[in-house]
Amino acid sequence: QKEVEQNSGPLSVPEGAIASLNCTYSDRGSQSFFWYRQYSGKSPELIMSIYSNGDKEDGRFTAQLNKASQYVSLLIRDSQPSDSATYLCAVKNNQGGKLIFGQGTELSVKP
Amino acid sequence: NAGVTQTPKFQVLKTGQSMTLQCAQDMNHNSMYWYRQDPGMGLRLIYYSASEGTTDKGEVPNGYNVSRLNKREFSLRLESAAPSQTSVYFCASSDRVKGGWGGGGRGEAFFGQGTRLTVV
């Protein structure tokens, strides 16, 4: 079992819809959680970080964390074609310093 | 600020050749990482260094060695390249997570531009 798991997709949503991306992790000692966006041929770029249970909103993006269920999600409201990319969930155990990524979910937003 | 700089950007090796991928960061970060990315596999951690002077194995360390030369630099060495090591390699760095809600130091990783390595 991978330490961080995501649905690989592809996930296809129409423009203007809400895209929902999910991630589960196995290390209960994990303390920091991140969502990265990666366009084809480019490096990953950070879009959201979350450290405590609940929701965190930043513009059209909302990250949700449930440590009891070991579950992290990312909601993208009013999806745009420019949001089409691969979204990577990453989890960090701050004691050991290891930063582990899921396999990524490919999102396609259709005009 | 250059951020995280990797060299080279592209490399073709013959099976059995050796090479070193270089990575340097100018953000005064404590932690540095090497990942490889293959289609459909996300980023897989090869080795990481939580602080200067320490290195630890990640998910896929076999066939690789690393050196944390100083706080800025973290190199990845392939001693005898194999076709299975054909991949895109990313270096990243991050600061330690600090307490409180102040800006900075929350553990976010920043990436270099990647090295596309082909082993024939």
Side-chain angles (χ1 to χ4, degrees):
Chain A
Q1 180 191 3
K2 275 185 66 68
E3 292 187 49
V4 180
E5 299 216 39
Q6 297 178 248
N7 293 329
S8 57
L11 174 65
S12 183
V13 300
E15 184 175 356
I18 295 175
S20 177
L21 304 161
N22 304 316
C23 173
T24 58
Y25 61 95
S26 60
D27 183 359
R28 286 196 170 274
S30 301
Q31 297 164 294
S32 302
F33 306 87
F34 308 98
W35 284 99
Y36 285 79
R37 177 176 62 200
Q38 186 178 27
Y39 293 112
S40 180
K42 301 295 186 182
S43 303
E45 56 177 337
L46 180 72
I47 53 172
M48 289 289 285
S49 57
I50 187 165
Y51 306 94
S52 55
N53 283 328
D55 295 359
K56 179 182 177 183
E57 186 174 320
D58 184 0
R60 296 186 296 111
F61 299 97
T62 298
Q64 299 173 316
L65 173 62
N66 183 326
K67 290 185 178 180
S69 301
Q70 295 175 251
Y71 178 87
V72 192
S73 67
L74 179 71
L75 299 177
I76 306 174
R77 290 182 300 281
D78 188 22
S79 295
Q80 302 296 309
S82 58
D83 294 326
S84 298
T86 296
Y87 289 80
L88 297 157
C89 173
V91 174
K92 189 171 187 179
N93 181 319
N94 298 330
Q95 299 304 318
K98 209 164 53 165
L99 178 64
I100 299 295
F101 283 78
Q103 68 268 45
T105 299
E106 183 183 350
L107 173 66
S108 176
V109 181
K110 303 295 187 184
Chain B
N1 267 351
V4 180
T5 303
Q6 287 181 238
T7 55
K9 289 187 179 180
F10 301 94
Q11 184 71 50
V12 179
L13 289 179
K14 293 182 179 178
T15 298
Q17 286 185 317
S18 63
M19 79 161 294
T20 300
L21 280 65
Q22 307 286 353
C23 176
Q25 52 94 7
D26 62 3
M27 295 176 282
N28 201 35
H29 284 168
N30 290 293
S31 301
M32 297 187 73
Y33 312 86
W34 276 106
Y35 295 92
R36 61 176 289 173
Q37 186 170 40
D38 304 293
M41 302 291 287
L43 291 165
R44 291 187 291 170
L45 182 64
I46 304 172
Y47 272 92
Y48 67 105
S49 171
S51 62
E52 185 179 356
T54 69
T55 60
D56 285 286
K57 294 179 181 179
E59 302 168 280
V60 289
N62 291 344
Y64 305 95
N65 286 301
V66 291
S67 296
R68 184 73 184 266
L69 304 169
N70 48 56
K71 191 171 185 179
R72 290 186 63 248
E73 299 172 288
F74 189 39
S75 63
L76 178 72
R77 183 160 178 84
L78 286 70
E79 290 290 352
S80 179
S84 61
Q85 294 178 305
T86 293
S87 188
V88 179
Y89 291 84
F90 287 102
C91 177
S93 71
S94 73
D95 205 344
R96 281 199 195 105
V97 175
K98 297 187 177 71
W101 297 95
R106 295 311 304 269
E108 299 94 337
F110 296 87
F111 284 81
Q113 72 271 41
T115 297
R116 188 172 296 274
L117 175 66
T118 302
V119 183
V120 298

